[in-house]
Amino acid sequence: MTSILNADLHCHSVVSDGTLTPEALAARAKTNGVALWALTDHDEIGGQQRAAAAARTLGLHYLTGVEISVTFINQTVHIVGLGFDPENPALQLGLSQTRGGRKQRAMDMAAGLAKVGIQGAFEGALKFVVNHNLISRTHFARFLVESGVCRDTNEVFRKYLTEGKPGYVEHRWASLKDAVTWITQAGGVAVIAHPARYKFTANQEFALFTEFKGHGGQGVEVVTGSHTAAEYLTYADTAREFDLAASRGSDFHSPDESHTELGTLPYLPGNLTPVWELLLDRIQQAPDTSPETPVSMGH
Ligand code: AMP
Ligand code: MN
Ligand code: MN
Ligand code: MN
């Protein structure tokens, strides 16, 4: 299977912190020439049926997806799961536990913001929430932009929602072992999301990759909207060093906020194993494709 494939295996809908429905994302993926798509909402698979159905209607190949929040050496790390069975009970329970603390965390964030004079942030953020099980910092960011406190969501994160800032609340997410195990035992492949975003030392990053592999993780995002072109090369090397398959995904959230559009990233470097090669039997085929060519070429 080729690495020259317009696969976009990382994006968010209104089921987590995106602003488009799964159906609108599917249509956008189709318009942008995506051949293989996955919706990867944060800690939540409630959009999977809708995404898969829309993909089928539009003629996109589809993989189930999720992005699980993990705490590793006191930092938040994201683990993408692809190609799992969404009916798997242990995965569903694990995700529901991971989401569980979000409401209290949001109330604590609002309390922190109130201390610096920003009132009503919990209710304000909720106005942007579609799935009430999944309130995130992004919803607070949208409220602070709407109410004129900041110009854009980036500024909100910088001034209010990151470590040491008034709206930041320490939070303990899933363990690396649990997240990888939930995904793999549900038949999926676990992938380290956007590794360049973490602020680990070289030793800590080595520990992340080593432990991830030890738990059964098989992939790493190399080409992502969160990486620079130089970081594609760095993490292509890391993928080879750790014998991990490589993934590609925009991390698209919103037409108004995201700088990387669905399906518009460079292809994966050719000397890597694309993660979809590990998932051929998990891909929901677009109806018009013959079984001999499980995934059509990008163009
Ligand atoms: P949460 O899971 O509630 O901690 O929210 C994390 C989400 O916030 C990420 O998935 C991004 O969508 C968004 N985010 C994190 N950092 C930034 C940033 N600096 N600028 C814009 N959005 C961000
Ligand atoms: Mn997000
Ligand atoms: Mn992420
Ligand atoms: Mn994401």
Side-chain angles (χ1 to χ4, degrees), residues 8-11 34 36-40 48 61-65 82:
D8 197 318
L9 305 179
H10 190 151
C11 68
V34 172
L36 173 64
W37 178 50
L39 171 67
T40 56
Q48 291 304 306
H61 300 290
Y62 189 75
L63 278 168
T64 53
L82 297 170

Side-chain angles (χ1 to χ4, degrees), residues 10 12 40 42 67 78 194 251 253:
H10 190 151
H12 299 271
T40 56
H42 295 284
E67 183 176 22
H78 286 168
H194 44 62
D251 208 355
H253 283 71

Side-chain angles (χ1 to χ4, degrees), residues 111-188:
L113 291 169
K115 280 189 191 150
V116 295
I118 300 166
Q119 305 298 331
F122 181 71
E123 296 72 19
L126 267 188
K127 287 193 295 171
F128 292 90
V129 172
V130 173
N131 170 8
H132 281 243
N133 294 323
L134 210 295
I135 181 164
S136 87
R137 284 186 290 163
T138 312
H139 301 112
F140 280 84
R142 291 185 184 133
F143 168 65
L144 293 196
V145 171
E146 180 210 48
S147 53
V149 175
C150 293
R151 270 191 328 276
D152 56 37
T153 51
N154 250 322
E155 185 185 341
V156 181
F157 275 90
R158 203 175 63 243
K159 291 188 177 161
Y160 292 102
L161 299 181
T162 40
E163 220 177 318
K165 301 299 158 63
Y168 185 78
V169 172
E170 285 289 341
H171 194 74
R172 193 128 210 110
W173 301 104
S175 72
L176 181 65
K177 179 183 183 184
D178 283 349
V180 173
T181 305
W182 296 332
I183 294 163
T184 53
Q185 294 203 340

Side-chain angles (χ1 to χ4, degrees), residues 56 58 74 80 118 143 231 296 298:
R56 192 187 293 276
L58 291 166
N74 295 320
V80 164
I118 300 166
F143 168 65
E231 287 162 349
S296 64

